[in-house]
Amino acid sequence: MSFGYVLALADDALIAAQRLAEWTSRAPELEEDVALANIALDTLGQARLLLTYAGELEGAGRDEDDLAYLRDEREFRNCQLVELPNGDFAVTIVKLLCFATYQHELYSALRDSTDERLAAIATKAATETAYHVDHARLWTLRLGDGTDEAHRRMTDALGRIWPYTNDLFNGDWIDPALLADGTAVDPATLREPWMSTVDKVLTEATLSAPDDDWAPTGGRHGEHTEAMGYLLAEMQYLHRAHPGASW
Amino acid sequence: MVTVDAARRAVATVADPELPVVTIDDLGILRDVSIVDGSVVVTVTPTYSGCPAMDVIRHEIADRLADLGVSDVEVRTELVPPWTSAAITSAGRAKLDAAGIAPPGQVASGPVPVRLAVRCPRCGSLDTEELSRYSSTACTALWRCRSCAEPFDRVKEH
């Protein structure tokens, strides 16, 4: 198993958790505040397990905190989708629907990874992400098939988020040896089941997937959007300002 | 030197920090206690990947063993097989119910998952509804009783 592969999965989960946690105390209703915080907690837990494993694979003595707090922007391997600003609630829900469905398909496939440690983490995470998909599905139905304003905002959100979903299925950064020995999953194989789930939800919500126009890429190679630096500044500030602080 | 039985009895009294009416043994997250080369090895499994209680549980385990004079303690975390709500003991389910937290039902399986009505842990009514899939802890959902109008937490099937 390679450090880079596990690190990319970890970074997806970590950055998604950081964005979701931004909703804490700001969600449209108390129950939603609790729900988004719990989803963030799940993905943060997955990130911690994966970062710890990545650190062991690297063998340079870096633990989960070193990897989360002491790397700079270009060293992060997450897809750009998860770093995009939360926008309004519709953007957050569309992002969650697209990302949670991707994670669920990926973790479900990784249950059969020939890497035992990764398979164990994926088996736990697959069950958790099924809840996240369901949560996003219920909101998509409620908003897409809701008032004109809600429908309009969901349509706008889809337009903004959709181009970034292309890169989820791009496997050009994965060492072919990992695909050959069955430790990693080729993300291209996830596209069809992903589209099938997402399209069904959108159709039921009277929404539709936008036409493909552009497909931004680069996150897996350390190239990020302008939003990433601000996110890292907030996430890493305390740890860097007060190294080793505990309470 | 402490015996395995004594160590296990001590560790089994550790309460879950988020649902303190039940112990880690009741929840089925205490997997094994053994003595290896003179050190006590305790194996636990998290309910959810991000369960924030795990750090506290590790400290509490070490504290209980320290009370027995054991300082050489290793707490291992095991993910396989993953925890499911079916691991909660019947004593644990009774304690949750008595504390106003509805215990989980059977994990859905088979071609047609059948969902049974959830009984209000306060008044016993079956006329209840789910308000949110998420609640005060990662492993519970928020429900409300239509008969007594009280909200209650329910441990999710997982």
Side-chain angles (χ1 to χ4, degrees), chain A residues 34 38 45 120 124 128 131 134 138, chain B residues 46-47 49 80 133 135 138 157:
Chain A
V34 171
N38 266 299
K124 272 205 92 59
E128 292 158 6
Y131 273 108
D134 202 45
L138 292 173
Chain B
T47 52
S49 302
V80 179
R133 208 68 56 91
S135 187
E157 291 93 22

Side-chain angles (χ1 to χ4, degrees), chain A residues 90-172:
Chain A
V91 170
T92 292
I93 290 302
V94 168
K95 211 160 41 137
L96 183 63
L97 177 69
C98 293
F99 179 64
T101 305
Y102 159 75
Q103 264 198 321
H104 184 62
E105 293 298 336
L106 175 64
Y107 288 138
S108 298
L110 282 173
R111 287 182 297 197
D112 297 323
S113 167
T114 50
D115 183 278
E116 277 182 24
R117 176 90 168 263
L118 191 57
I121 295 170
T123 302
K124 272 205 92 59
T127 317
E128 292 158 6
T129 48
Y131 273 108
H132 308 170
V133 174
D134 202 45
H135 190 73
R137 182 183 69 86
L138 292 173
W139 270 115
T140 302
L141 298 180
R142 189 167 155 189
L143 296 173
D145 198 15
T147 63
D148 290 346
E149 173 74 0
H151 183 89
R152 183 185 67 74
R153 287 196 183 209
M154 286 297 277
T155 303
D156 289 350
L158 275 165
R160 196 180 320 176
I161 295 303
W162 198 257
Y164 291 89
T165 61
N166 286 291
D167 208 34
L168 296 174
F169 310 105
N170 174 8
D172 71 357

Side-chain angles (χ1 to χ4, degrees), chain B residues 50-72:
Chain B
C51 178
M54 290 310 285
D55 288 335
V56 177
I57 289 170
R58 282 188 203 98
H59 284 293
E60 295 263 320
I61 287 171
D63 285 351
R64 291 309 151 86
L65 290 170
D67 292 345
L68 296 180
V70 179
S71 57
D72 196 359

Side-chain angles (χ1 to χ4, degrees), chain B:
Chain B
M1 187 61 208
V2 71
T3 64
V4 172
D5 281 350
R8 166 134 198 139
R9 274 198 304 277
V11 169
T13 62
V14 170
D16 181 274
E18 293 192 325
L19 302 170
V21 296
V22 286
T23 67
I24 57 173
D25 195 35
D26 293 328
L27 281 175
I29 60 181
L30 174 60
R31 286 256 163 101
D32 187 55
V33 179
S34 60
I35 296 178
V36 181
D37 297 335
S39 79
V40 176
V41 178
V42 180
T43 306
V44 291
T45 191
T47 52
Y48 285 68
S49 302
C51 178
M54 290 310 285
D55 288 335
V56 177
I57 289 170
R58 282 188 203 98
H59 284 293
E60 295 263 320
I61 287 171
D63 285 351
R64 291 309 151 86
L65 290 170
D67 292 345
L68 296 180
V70 179
S71 57
D72 196 359
V73 177
E74 184 190 345
V75 182
R76 291 183 188 164
T77 304
E78 176 182 271
L79 296 181
V80 179
W83 179 87
T84 80
S85 50
I88 303 176
T89 63
S90 48
R93 297 171 59 88
K95 287 182 198 173
L96 287 170
D97 195 57
I101 302 166
Q106 299 296 319
V107 177
S109 62
V112 186
V114 178
R115 201 155 191 210
L116 299 175
V118 171
R119 200 179 65 86
C120 170
R122 295 184 188 277
C123 74
S125 168
L126 290 173
D127 189 13
T128 58
E129 63 180 336
E130 184 179 75
L131 294 179
S132 173
R133 208 68 56 91
Y134 295 90
S135 187
S136 54
T137 77
C139 54
T140 57
L142 182 63
W143 283 63
R144 172 169 59 197
C145 175
R146 291 199 194 92
S147 296
C148 71
E150 287 289 334
F152 61 92
D153 266 355
R154 171 169 192 264
V155 178
K156 291 185 274 204
E157 291 93 22
H158 185 76

